[in-house]
Amino acid sequence: MLSSARLALFNSARASSSRSISTTSTLYAATAVKQVTRTKKTPFVRIEGPFKTFKPITPGLRHLRMPYNPHLYNGAPIRALTVAKRKTGGRNKAGRITVRSVGGGHKQRIRILDFYRSEPGKCDVIRIEFDPRRSAHIALIRQRNPNAKQIFSYILAPDGIRAGDVVESYRDGIPDGLVEGFVDLRRRVRVERHEPRHNLEKGLHRVDVQHHKGPTATAEVMEPLPVKGTRVPAELEEGSVAQLEAELAALEAAAEQAALEAAALHAAEEVEEGEDVPSQEVVAEDAEADDGLATEAEFLPDPAAPVDGPPEDATFIEGLEEVEQAPRLNPRVDAMMAQKDKPEPPSTSSQLALGILRTVTIKPGNVLPLRLIPSGVHVHNISLHPYGPGKLVRSAGTYAEVVLHEEDGKYSHVKLQSGEVRKIGQECCATIGRVSNEHWKGRQLGKAGRSRNLGIRPHVRGVAMNAVDHPHGGGRGKSKGNKHPRSIYGWLAKGQRTRKPGPRGHPGANRMVVHERPRGVEKRGGGKRK
C-alpha cells in the first residue's frame, strides 16, 4: 500500500491545471535531456542492428551484448510508486531452500504497476523506463482527469510507444458519444461505492437499466451484493415486499403492453382486408377480455374435437382430409415468422460507425474488452476475470492473437504465445499491441559477475553431486547410472507430462483449452503428433 505522504507530491497536481501542465512539460524536458545524454556516441560503443556491443578493452566487455534502446529514461523512478524488495535467498519461513540458485544481487526496488487500468479517460505517456525485475519496459503515464484517484501510474510499455503518446482505457465499454451512430449496449456504468475493493470484485451482479434515450437501450450497472456485516436498506433486501410489488407491477405493465400491440396488429390486418376500423376503446376491451389468448386460439386445433375412434360418416372423413391439407397457420403469420427469423443485414451506417470505432480505439496501449477487439489483432496483458488484473502475456516481446468470437457472446478464442488456443470471457480485457523490448532474449551478460548482480547464484550439475544429493550423483567419472534425466526432486525432466490434472486428464480438467500447445514433432513443424 502506498502511503498518503508519498502520493501527496503527485496528487497535488489536482489543485490547478496550469501547475499540471507545467509539471508535464518539465517531465518532458527532463526526459529529452536524459535521452540526449544516453544517445551520446563514444569510441567504445558499437551499434550493431538492434544490439549494442563494446570495444573489448576489458575481458568482461568482450562478449557483452545489450539491446539498444536510446528512448529509455536514464534517471531514477518515482519513489512513491515503488516499494522495497526484501531478499529471501530462495528460502521459506522455516529456513529451507525452496528455490535453488537464488541469492545476493544488487539492491532493487519493486515498481508498482497498474494491471487493472480501470480508470477511464485519456492518459499522457511521460517517459519509458527500465524495470530491473522484469524483461519488459514500463511506461509512466499521467491521467488528464484532475479528479482521478491516482494521477501518475506505471503500466507495461507496448512495443513502439514513446513519450508524448496518448493511451486510453475502455475497460467499462465505449462511452456514449465517442462515435456517432454506435451505442455499446453492454457498457458498464461505474457506480461509486464506499466498500473495499475486494468486496466490489467478489460481490458484483448485473442489472439492466436504461442509460440513454431509446426503448431498447440497456447497459450493465455493477452493484455490489450485500456484504456480511453491512446493513442493507429495507427496499433493497431480497424478497422484501417493496421489491416483490415492484417486480409484479413491471410484469403486469409488460403483459398489458404486449396485449395492446397484438390487438393493434390484428386490427391492422382486418383493415387491409376491407373491414371496419375498431375504435381504441374496443381494442383495449378486447385485449382485457381475452388477455392475448384469442390470437393463439385462432391457429390452434380445438382440444374438444374427437381424435380417437373410427369415423362413422363419410362427410366427416372428407372434411378431415381438407383440414389435413390446409396449412396449420395463417399464411400471413408464416410470412411474418419467416421474416422475423431471417437475420437482418447490417446497414451501411452501422458498418461505417464500427469502422470509425476501430480506427479510434484499436491503438497500442489502449485497453478494451475482448468483445470489441476484432480477430487477428495482437494483444497482451490479458485478464482472466472481468474485474481482475491482467495475468497472461506480460513478458518482453510476447503477444497473443484474437482468433474468433463465439456467437453466443460468452467466450472468445485467443491464441497464446505458446501456441495454445484458449477460451477467455468476452468481458475480460486486454491491451492492444505486443510487449516492448522484443530483443531482450538476444542479450549476453558477458561475465559471471553480472549474473551475481541479478541475484543468480551458480547452478551445480547433478552428475557433479554425491548420490545422496541428486538422482544423477555418485559413481565413478561422469556417469548417470543409466537413469532417465530427472530433477533434484526426482521429477522426469524430458517428455513426461507432470501437469495435474492436465488437458488430457478427466473431462472436467482445463475445459477452457480449445487446442493444446504444440509439442515434440508438431512443435518442430512435422505435423500433428498421433
Side-chain angles (χ1 to χ4, degrees):
M1 297 296 293
L2 298 178
S3 61
S4 57
R6 290 183 177 180
L7 290 177
L9 176 62
F10 304 100
N11 292 337
S12 60
R14 304 175 182 176
S16 61
S17 59
S18 60
R19 183 179 179 184
S20 301
I21 295 174
S22 63
T23 304
T24 305
S25 60
T26 304
L27 289 172
Y28 281 136
T31 304
V33 172
K34 293 295 181 180
Q35 289 179 358
V36 170
T37 58
R38 185 66 179 266
T39 57
K40 183 179 180 181
K41 294 183 179 180
T42 62
F44 304 105
V45 180
R46 303 169 182 175
I47 308 299
E48 298 178 356
F51 296 99
K52 178 172 60 173
T53 58
F54 299 87
K55 185 177 180 180
I57 57 178
T58 61
L61 293 176
R62 182 174 298 276
H63 301 289
L64 176 62
R65 186 171 69 172
M66 301 170 57
Y68 180 63
N69 297 307
H71 61 280
L72 289 183
Y73 178 69
N74 201 20
I78 296 179
R79 192 173 180 83
L81 299 178
T82 61
V83 294
K85 178 186 176 183
R86 305 303 179 189
K87 305 289 185 178
T88 61
R91 291 166 172 80
N92 59 7
K93 62 181 181 180
R96 297 185 177 91
I97 296 178
T98 57
V99 183
R100 302 167 60 214
S101 305
V102 172
H106 197 280
K107 184 179 180 181
Q108 298 175 353
R109 293 189 67 85
I110 300 174
R111 275 71 167 172
I112 302 176
L113 269 66
D114 182 14
F115 292 112
Y116 288 90
R117 300 288 299 275
S118 57
E119 194 72 27
K122 295 185 178 181
C123 303
D124 296 317
V125 179
I126 304 300
R127 62 199 185 200
I128 310 298
E129 298 185 8
F130 166 77
D131 190 350
R133 296 189 64 254
R134 68 182 67 249
S135 58
H137 297 153
I138 59 176
L140 177 65
I141 61 174
R142 178 189 178 277
Q143 288 281 348
R144 289 186 178 181
N145 182 14
N147 299 322
K149 296 181 180 179
Q150 189 170 348
I151 300 297
F152 291 92
S153 60
Y154 281 122
I155 63 171
L156 279 179
D159 189 22
I161 197 171
R162 295 293 183 268
D165 294 344
V166 179
V167 296
E168 190 169 357
S169 175
Y170 300 98
R171 179 154 193 165
D172 294 333
I174 304 301
D176 296 338
L178 180 65
V179 176
E180 184 179 357
F182 182 85
V183 178
D184 189 1
L185 300 180
R186 298 170 66 177
R187 184 174 71 92
R188 296 193 299 267
V189 180
R190 296 175 61 86
V191 180
E192 298 295 336
R193 298 288 182 181
H194 299 287
E195 285 81 6
R197 187 180 185 88
H198 64 274
N199 290 341
L200 289 176
E201 293 179 359
K202 294 181 180 179
L204 292 173
H205 67 286
R206 299 177 178 176
V207 181
D208 291 338
V209 299
Q210 292 186 356
H211 72 280
H212 72 286
K213 296 181 179 179
T216 60
T218 59
E220 295 176 1
V221 179
M222 310 316 298
E223 296 183 355
L225 294 174
V227 183
K228 185 177 181 180
T230 305
R231 185 176 181 182
V232 182
E235 60 272 15
L236 297 180
E237 290 182 356
E238 184 177 1
S240 61
V241 177
Q243 183 181 5
L244 294 177
E245 291 180 353
E247 293 179 357
L248 290 175
L251 291 175
E252 291 176 358
E256 183 178 356
Q257 182 66 20
L260 290 176
E261 292 178 358
L265 179 61
H266 184 64
E269 293 176 357
E270 293 180 352
V271 171
E272 292 178 358
E273 296 177 358
E275 299 181 3
D276 297 335
V277 181
S279 61
Q280 187 175 2
E281 292 78 4
V282 175
V283 172
E285 292 177 359
D286 295 341
E288 293 178 0
D290 54 27
D291 199 13
L293 298 178
T295 306
E296 299 179 0
E298 292 178 1
F299 312 108
L300 295 177
D302 187 6
V307 179
D308 299 331
E312 298 179 357
D313 190 2
T315 309
F316 176 79
I317 296 177
E318 295 176 358
L320 184 60
E321 292 177 354
E322 294 178 358
V323 171
E324 291 178 353
Q325 295 176 0
R328 183 178 180 182
L329 297 179
N330 193 323
R332 288 178 297 177
V333 177
D334 289 336
M336 292 173 60
M337 293 181 64
Q339 187 69 20
K340 181 179 180 181
D341 296 338
K342 183 179 179 181
E344 297 182 0
S347 61
T348 306
S349 60
S350 62
Q351 293 180 351
L352 179 61
L354 183 60
I356 297 175
L357 174 70
R358 292 178 175 176
T359 304
V360 173
T361 58
I362 306 299
K363 295 180 181 179
N366 289 356
V367 178
L368 289 167
L370 289 177
R371 59 183 174 84
L372 296 176
I373 301 177
S375 301
V377 176
H378 291 175
V379 296
H380 68 277
N381 192 30
I382 307 172
S383 65
L384 296 177
H385 190 274
Y387 309 98
K391 294 185 177 181
L392 301 180
V393 193
R394 302 194 314 194
S395 182
T398 57
Y399 64 91
E401 182 180 352
V402 180
V403 179
L404 60 90
H405 302 285
E406 294 184 355
E407 296 181 356
D408 57 359
K410 188 175 183 180
Y411 292 107
S412 297
H413 295 189
V414 179
K415 184 178 181 180
L416 303 179
Q417 186 70 25
S418 63
E420 176 182 293
V421 179
R422 189 179 186 88
K423 292 196 297 184
I424 303 177
Q426 291 190 4
E427 294 299 328
C428 298
C429 296
T431 307
I432 305 298
R434 63 173 62 192
V435 188
S436 58
N437 199 15
E438 61 177 342
H439 299 291
W440 177 83
K441 61 181 180 181
R443 77 197 190 288
Q444 294 180 3
L445 298 181
K447 64 178 183 179
R450 292 190 179 90
S451 295
R452 301 304 296 266
N453 292 336
L454 294 175
I456 304 174
R457 297 185 70 247
H459 185 81
V460 181
R461 295 171 295 119
V463 294
M465 299 183 185
N466 295 326
V468 297
D469 298 325
H470 199 281
H472 297 170
R476 296 180 180 272
K478 299 180 180 179
S479 173
K480 295 181 181 179
N482 294 328
K483 296 179 181 179
H484 291 285
R486 298 173 181 269
S487 69
I488 193 174
Y489 307 107
W491 293 85
L492 293 175
K494 294 184 178 180
Q496 180 66 25
R497 300 291 297 272
T498 59
R499 181 178 182 179
K500 294 183 179 180
R504 293 184 181 177
H506 58 85
N510 212 357
R511 295 170 296 178
M512 294 300 176
V513 176
V514 179
H515 185 272
E516 297 182 24
R517 63 182 176 89
R519 294 182 176 90
V521 178
E522 186 181 2
K523 187 175 182 180
R524 294 191 294 268
K528 189 173 182 180
R529 187 176 184 179
K530 296 182 181 180

